[in-house]
Amino acid sequence: MIINERQYLITQAQAAKFRDALAAEPAAGLHPKALKAMRDGARSQLDELEEQLAEYDALRTGKVVSFKMDSITGIGDALVKARIIRQLTHKALAERMDLAEQQIQRYEATRYAGVSIERLQAVADALNLRVNEVFTLEKE
C-alpha cells in the first residue's frame, strides 16, 4: 500500500519503467519462452503497481469514504487509509495528537503493530474515524 506522496511518485516512476520495457523491442536471440516469461513478469508487476496507484488516488480524492476490514489486524491499514482520505500528512496527524512526526511514520511503517488499544483509539479519534465492530463466532 502506498502511504504518502513520496511513495506515490516512486511508484509512478516504477510503473513508467515497466510500461517502457513492455513497449520496447525484445532483445535479439532471446528464446520465445524466455521472452514470454519476462513479459508476463513485467505485466504482472505493472498491474500490481497500477492497482496500488489507483487505490491511493481513490483514497486521496475522497472516492472512498468507508472500507471493511475482515480482521482486527486490519486496523493499521484502516488508520493509514483514513489519514490519506482526510488528506493529512504524517506531520499534520502528529500535530493533532501532540506527537512527533517520526512517531506517526514509525506507527505506519509497522501498520501500528504492537501499539496499545488506547493509542489506536486515539489515532482513530484524531482522524474522526468511526469504527463499527462486528464479532462473529465461527462454527468450530
Side-chain angles (χ1 to χ4, degrees), residues 23-139:
E25 288 294 319
L30 200 56
H31 191 279
K33 285 185 179 181
L35 177 62
K36 182 180 181 334
M38 288 173 55
R39 292 185 67 74
D40 288 349
R43 170 53 54 197
S44 175
Q45 288 289 321
L46 178 58
D47 289 347
E48 185 175 321
L49 293 173
E50 287 177 337
E51 183 178 305
Q52 291 176 17
L53 290 166
E55 177 186 41
Y56 189 77
D57 281 334
L59 291 170
R60 73 179 179 169
T61 59
K63 291 180 182 171
V64 175
V65 294
S66 67
F67 37 87
K68 181 181 176 188
M69 296 295 157
D70 293 328
S71 168
I72 291 172
T73 59
I75 189 73
D77 284 341
L79 293 172
V80 173
K81 288 178 179 183
R83 180 189 55 76
I84 295 166
I85 291 167
R86 295 284 186 216
Q87 298 182 356
L88 294 174
T89 62
H90 292 133
K91 183 177 182 176
L93 178 57
E95 287 172 356
R96 282 188 179 192
M97 298 186 66
D98 198 26
L99 295 172
E101 177 181 0
Q102 293 80 7
Q103 186 61 55
I104 299 298
Q105 291 170 340
R106 282 191 292 273
Y107 286 157
E108 289 194 4
T110 63
R111 298 300 190 270
Y112 291 87
V115 176
S116 71
I117 194 73
E118 291 82 8
R119 177 61 78 188
L120 294 172
Q121 185 62 57
V123 175
D125 291 344
L127 293 167
N128 295 317
L129 176 64
R130 187 170 145 234
V131 179
N132 293 316
E133 303 89 1
V134 175
F135 297 92
T136 304
L137 288 172
E138 302 278 329
K139 288 188 178 183

